[in-house]
């Protein structure tokens, strides 16, 4: 049976994503100095004002306003009412509630047991339910619609920054509708791109440029046909954008951040939260589990739900759904999850090494599908393969041809002859002794001092690094 499924993404200049990046940028700056800090930082942006609010318990000394202005500048807002050097910034930060801290600092299990363990030392930072997901639609085991939507949004940012389409401005949105025959993607039905621009370009020129320089370099040629529909700036002029045109709020793009609506969402946002918040850390762990189980061959598609009570280390429930693709029953797979993976907050943080300043990388273009992030590792595959029934194990095919990346683009090669993907890039080496900014494709903008924030989610152009905040 044929069906259509749609996912959307947004650029780093979208007002909600501006807030996400500032929240995670501040979080990274705090964790760089104090890995044990407790943070729940949110931002709200509107017209010419930014409010930074929330709870931070730390020994770190951080200039919240300076970090925010630097992120705003590097996103590209150096004009208008929300320009980095013109917008008004208010800070309303206080310490974490002692009532909440009491449950996180010592879990219920630790309080009630005579034998106290390190793994039981942390209780969940809140009650709630979290979901993980993986499927075989793409090489990164993500749904195809959200992967394509992210790539289109990233490409919009790239052609703006490298001068290919210099009239573009930071705000933008993308959307992709894929047609499926059963569970198999057979064609792209509809593409929507809305790109903010200045007043020097006509709508006709913009539509032609977006089609040629963005859409045609990203979409797989084999999935595009004469019936594929394109809507490029369908409302016409998109001159006023970002927080000047629409208010922004941290955590309001949680479907963009995850799987594009393919699986449920527990409702808890990620950005600005330290890893003791299971809204973030348990969702990352759930993705790690699902990806390794799919790669191991236990299912072609898997969805995992975990749920917690505040102050309690162990989850109150674990539920697996493989949508009929599992090699074992969903109940048995849930038992394997419990046996093979420690889902207590302390163990999650330790396993994924989450007390690090890595979160600005996640704050645009999705938290999943980026193989340089720790929850995307496939280091449990061999252990999980032992659970695959003998009759379902596939021998290694030594004659298998390697994947031809150019094939999926048809006759058009993205970026000329250069094979390029944001997912192939490595994050900035924080231990590197020297760093020549001019070696990077996007040089530091004037006025950013010794710090640099560049594009969240794109490690090829840098992450937070600050000598003067140490």
């Amino acid at each position: 049976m044929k069906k259509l499924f749609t996912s959307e993404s947004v650029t780093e200049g979208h007002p909600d994503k501006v807030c996400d990046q500032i929240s995670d940028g501040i979080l990274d700056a705090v964790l760089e100095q104090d890995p044990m800090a407790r943070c729940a930082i949110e931002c709200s942006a509107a017209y010419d004002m930014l409010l930074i609010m929330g709870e931070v318990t730390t020994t770190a000394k951080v200039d919240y306003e300076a970090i925010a202005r630097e992120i705003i500048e590097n996103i590209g807002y150096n004009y208008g009412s929300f320009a980095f050097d013109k917008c008004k910034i208010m800070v309303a930060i206080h310490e974490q509630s002692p009532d909440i801290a009491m449950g996180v600092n010592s879990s219920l299990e630790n309080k009630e047991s005579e034998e106290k363990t390190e793994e039981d030392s942390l209780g969940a930072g809140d009650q709630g339910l979290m979901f993980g997901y993986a499927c075989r639609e793409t090489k990164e085991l993500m749904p195809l619609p959200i992967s394509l939507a992210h790539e289109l949004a990233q490409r919009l940012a790239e052609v703006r920054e490298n001068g290919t389409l210099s009239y573009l401005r930071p705000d933008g949105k993308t959307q992709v509708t894929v047609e499926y025959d059963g569970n198999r993607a057979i064609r792209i039905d509809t593409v929507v791109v809305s790109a903010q621009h200045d007043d020097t370009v006509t709508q006709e020129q913009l539509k032609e440029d977006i089609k040629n320089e963005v859409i045609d370099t990203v979409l797989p040629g084999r999935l595009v046909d004469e019936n594929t529909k394109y809507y490029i700036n369908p409302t016409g002029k998109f001159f006023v954008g970002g927080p000047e045109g629409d208010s922004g709020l941290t955590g309001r793009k949680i479907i963009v951040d995850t799987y594009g609506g393919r699986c449920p969402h527990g409702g808890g946002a990620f950005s600005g939260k330290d890893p003791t918040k299971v809204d973030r850390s348990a969702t990352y762990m759930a993705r790690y589990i699902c990806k390794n189980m799919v790669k191991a061959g236990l299912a072609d598609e898997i969805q995992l739900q975990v749920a917690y009570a505040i102050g309690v280390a162990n989850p109150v429930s674990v539920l697996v759904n493989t949508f009929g693709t599992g090699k074992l029953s969903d109940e048995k797979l849930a038992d394997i999850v419990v046996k093979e993976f420690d889902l207590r907050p302390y163990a999650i943080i330790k396993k994924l090494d989450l007390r690090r300043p890595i979160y600005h990388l996640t704050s645009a273009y999705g938290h999943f599908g980026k193989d340089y992030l720790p929850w995307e590792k496939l280091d449990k595959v061999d252990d999980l393969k032992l659970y695959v029934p003998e009759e379902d194990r596939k021998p290694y095919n030594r004659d298998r041809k390697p994947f031809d990346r150019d094939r999926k683009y048809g006759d058009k090669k993205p970026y000329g002859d250069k094979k390029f993907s944001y997912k192939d890039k490595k994050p900035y080496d924080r231990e590197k002794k020297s760093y020549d900014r001019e070696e990077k494709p996007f040089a530091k903008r004037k006025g950013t001092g010794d710090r640099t924030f560049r594009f969240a989610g794109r490690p090829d152009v840098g992450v937070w690094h600050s000598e003067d905040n140490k």
Side-chain angles (χ1 to χ4, degrees):
M1 182 182 71
K2 294 182 180 180
K3 59 184 180 182
L4 300 176
F5 190 86
T6 302
S7 294
E8 70 159 349
S9 183
V10 297
T11 64
E12 65 257 31
H14 186 280
D16 293 332
K17 278 294 148 194
V18 171
C19 293
D20 283 346
Q21 289 168 87
I22 295 171
S23 296
D24 273 335
I26 293 172
L27 172 64
D28 277 3
V30 171
L31 291 177
E32 187 176 36
Q33 298 181 44
D34 179 13
M36 304 304 290
R38 300 281 172 80
C39 297
I41 305 157
E42 296 180 278
C43 296
S44 179
Y47 191 59
D48 64 347
M49 181 173 290
L50 173 71
L51 171 62
I52 304 172
M53 55 189 168
E55 301 81 48
V56 176
T57 303
T58 182
T59 59
K61 304 298 181 184
V62 172
D63 189 337
Y64 302 120
E65 181 177 335
I67 291 171
R69 291 192 187 279
E70 190 168 351
I71 293 173
I72 294 168
E73 181 187 14
N74 280 281
I75 289 171
Y77 287 114
N78 50 16
Y79 63 90
S81 299
F82 198 73
F84 74 97
D85 55 349
K86 294 181 181 178
C87 64
K88 297 185 284 289
I89 297 180
M90 297 175 57
V91 178
I93 298 288
H94 59 91
E95 290 193 348
Q96 183 182 54
S97 162
D99 296 339
I100 296 175
M102 179 174 58
V104 179
N105 293 339
S106 182
S107 71
L108 182 66
E109 291 91 337
N110 235 16
K111 293 173 184 175
E112 293 182 345
S113 174
E114 293 182 1
E115 296 183 7
K116 301 184 185 302
T117 65
E118 201 171 31
E119 288 75 12
D120 282 332
S121 60
L122 281 181
D126 199 357
Q127 70 176 44
L129 51 145
M130 301 86 206
F131 287 89
Y133 181 83
C135 65
R136 292 192 180 277
E137 286 184 28
T138 62
K139 67 176 184 178
E140 62 269 19
L141 304 183
M142 287 286 288
L144 180 63
I146 188 65
S147 292
L148 292 177
H150 285 325
E151 288 190 33
L152 287 170
Q154 289 174 322
R155 180 63 176 159
L156 269 180
E158 185 184 7
V159 295
R160 171 175 62 89
E161 278 296 321
N162 65 20
T164 302
L165 303 181
S166 59
Y167 56 77
L168 290 182
R169 287 184 166 176
D171 199 356
K173 302 183 76 173
T174 61
Q175 184 173 286
V176 178
T177 300
V178 175
E179 182 177 334
Y180 290 83
D181 185 0
N183 292 324
R184 184 172 63 91
I186 58 174
R187 60 182 294 272
I188 295 171
D189 183 79
T190 307
V191 179
V192 183
V193 177
S194 295
Q196 186 191 10
H197 58 88
D198 63 23
D199 57 1
T200 65
V201 64
T202 65
Q203 289 300 303
E204 292 73 20
Q205 184 65 50
L206 181 141
K207 290 180 180 181
E208 180 181 349
D209 289 347
I210 294 295
K211 177 67 165 58
N212 293 334
E213 299 293 340
V214 177
I215 295 174
D216 288 348
T217 63
V218 169
L219 297 187
R222 60 188 173 83
L223 295 180
V224 176
D225 58 33
E226 66 277 6
N227 295 317
T228 299
K229 299 180 285 292
Y230 303 97
Y231 297 100
I232 300 170
N233 281 27
T235 63
K237 183 175 69 172
F238 184 5
F239 181 61
V240 179
E244 189 175 357
D246 192 11
S247 61
L249 185 66
T250 298
R252 201 158 57 182
K253 284 290 174 281
I254 57 177
I255 301 302
V256 172
D257 286 342
T258 52
Y259 307 100
R262 178 60 66 85
C263 83
H265 195 293
F270 307 143
S271 290
K273 295 180 179 178
D274 74 85
T276 65
K277 279 70 170 173
V278 286
D279 281 339
R280 185 167 215 163
S281 55
T283 302
Y284 291 166
M285 188 66 174
R287 162 65 178 173
Y288 170 73
I289 293 169
C290 290
K291 187 176 182 181
N292 276 268
M293 294 183 79
V294 168
K295 189 68 175 179
L298 286 167
D300 293 330
E301 180 182 15
I302 187 165
Q303 173 185 297
L304 172 66
Q305 185 205 60
V306 293
Y308 292 85
I310 187 170
V312 181
N314 286 285
V316 298
S317 66
V318 175
L319 176 67
V320 169
N321 184 355
T322 60
F323 308 94
T325 69
K327 305 305 180 184
L328 300 169
S329 69
D330 291 348
E331 292 79 8
K332 288 183 179 179
L333 291 174
D335 291 339
I336 292 172
V337 170
V338 173
K339 179 180 178 181
E340 290 291 333
F341 301 93
D342 193 336
L343 291 168
R344 291 172 290 183
Y346 178 92
I348 292 174
I349 293 169
K350 183 177 180 181
K351 173 66 180 176
L352 301 180
D353 194 11
L354 296 180
R355 293 193 187 275
R356 296 182 288 154
I358 58 174
Y359 299 104
H360 191 244
L361 285 170
T362 70
S363 56
Y365 311 113
H367 290 242
F368 306 120
K370 302 170 179 177
D371 60 9
Y372 48 81
L373 294 172
W375 45 91
E376 297 293 322
K377 292 188 299 185
L378 292 169
D379 54 359
K380 286 287 288 183
V381 171
D382 290 341
D383 293 337
L384 294 171
K385 280 182 177 180
L386 299 176
Y387 294 98
V388 178
E390 191 69 36
E391 62 272 17
D392 292 315
R393 297 183 186 179
K394 297 179 180 179
Y396 177 68
N397 183 5
R398 296 186 179 277
D399 297 325
R400 179 175 175 267
K401 295 181 179 180
F403 176 69
D404 181 2
R405 183 170 178 79
D406 294 335
R407 176 176 162 272
K408 79 168 188 173
Y409 291 94
D411 295 331
K412 284 186 174 288
K413 294 184 179 181
Y415 319 104
D417 293 326
K418 182 181 179 181
K419 298 180 177 64
F420 178 88
S421 171
Y422 291 108
K423 303 179 183 68
D424 294 334
K425 295 293 182 178
K426 300 298 183 183
Y428 171 58
D429 183 2
R430 301 183 65 82
E431 302 300 324
K432 191 176 178 182
K433 296 299 181 183
S434 62
Y435 174 52
D436 181 3
R437 297 184 190 282
E438 298 304 316
E439 292 177 356
K440 294 294 178 179
F442 305 112
K444 177 175 71 68
R445 289 186 179 88
K446 182 179 179 181
T448 57
D450 293 329
R451 295 188 298 267
T452 178
F453 271 109
R454 297 192 181 89
F455 298 120
R458 296 163 59 190
D460 54 302
V461 291
V463 297
W464 168 259
H465 182 64
S466 170
E467 293 297 328
D468 55 0
N469 260 342
K470 286 184 179 179

